[in-house]
Amino acid sequence: MSTQTAAEVVVVDYGLGNLRSVTRGLERAGARVEIEDDPGAIDRADGVVLPGVGAFAEGMENAGPFRDALADAAAEGKPLFGICLGMQMLLSESEESTHAGEGDAAGLDLIPGKNVRFDQGQKVPHMGWNELDVQREHPLVEGVDGEHAYFVHSYYAVPDDEAAVVATTEYEIDFASVVANERGNVFGTQFHPEKSGETGLRILRNFVDYCVE
């Protein structure tokens, strides 16, 4: 499936994203991509990607100038796609604070829930290829049930509402690997679609198509 009109996608540059590979993946998926450190650019986009690699607290601190623009985009129904740390930032809070004993770090609160650390004896970080088990329909995961994606993470999302879980993945426990808000326009993947071969490209194409529907 391909778009007839290319989507204008803004990749948010807040200093922690893997911007080049995400941008290349989106371009392969048919989008026109702008990497932006200006929150005002979000309003002009058909869709927004919030990438992320690194620590939650630092990500939230760096993304502070974008908070209002991202909240406005979500409220307007604009597609907002968080990847890896970017997905975790969509939730309300995370156990991953800057220093031990500081308590939970606050997120964007666009999908109510909390990020928690693997503590069931798994090797951390979870790194490698794992299967996606789609739990409910969403445009992002069309055609990828049972396919494999590439993960690198130590924390995982636990949404308050089970209905927010779009897909799960097994790593000794079943954790949410794709989440979405009730409206469906704010969503994220714990894995890296830009590093997940044809499965990831399908997901990016699904996103681009969703942006121009």
Side-chain angles (χ1 to χ4, degrees):
M1 184 176 180
S2 61
T3 55
Q4 294 181 347
T5 302
E8 298 277 0
V9 174
V10 161
V11 174
V12 177
D13 180 6
Y14 62 101
L16 287 180
N18 188 10
L19 304 183
R20 289 180 182 270
S21 60
V22 170
T23 297
R24 283 196 299 267
L26 287 164
E27 289 173 343
R28 285 187 65 201
R32 290 197 296 269
V33 185
E34 296 290 340
I35 298 173
E36 286 285 354
D37 59 8
D38 173 18
I42 290 174
D43 186 53
R44 303 188 295 271
D46 296 317
V48 182
V49 173
L50 182 66
V53 177
F56 185 92
E58 183 181 3
M60 285 306 306
E61 181 178 356
N62 287 12
F66 293 92
R67 181 183 285 269
D68 289 345
L70 291 170
D72 289 345
E76 292 166 4
K78 185 168 294 188
L80 172 55
F81 183 6
I83 295 174
C84 197
L85 174 63
M87 185 203 85
Q88 295 180 5
M89 290 165 60
L90 299 176
L91 272 72
S92 308
E93 58 186 350
S94 178
E95 290 181 347
E96 186 183 8
S97 56
T98 304
H99 302 289
E102 284 189 341
D104 297 334
L108 295 170
D109 198 28
L110 299 177
I111 300 176
K114 183 175 183 177
N115 300 287
V116 301
R117 185 175 174 86
F118 285 115
D119 65 356
Q120 293 81 16
Q122 301 97 325
K123 183 179 179 180
V124 177
H126 168 215
M127 183 180 300
W129 294 81
N130 292 83
E131 185 175 348
L132 304 177
D133 184 5
V134 173
Q135 302 296 310
R136 67 174 179 87
E137 291 185 356
H138 187 280
L140 192 70
V141 295
E142 183 180 342
V144 300
D145 188 27
E147 300 295 337
H148 287 68
Y150 184 73
F151 293 81
V152 183
H153 64 119
S154 300
Y155 294 77
Y156 62 95
V158 181
D160 289 349
D161 185 351
E162 287 188 9
V165 178
V166 175
T168 59
T169 293
E170 183 181 356
Y171 188 55
E172 296 190 28
I173 61 166
D174 289 332
F175 68 90
S177 49
V178 183
V179 298
N181 68 344
E182 183 176 1
R183 189 173 180 180
N185 67 300
V186 177
F187 43 84
T189 61
Q190 182 58 71
F191 56 89
H192 289 273
E194 76 280 7
K195 298 180 181 178
S196 297
E198 288 302 313
T199 299
L201 182 58
R202 175 63 184 265
I203 286 170
L204 293 175
R205 283 177 175 152
N206 288 345
F207 168 66
V208 173
D209 287 341
Y210 182 47
C211 288
V212 292
E213 284 182 355

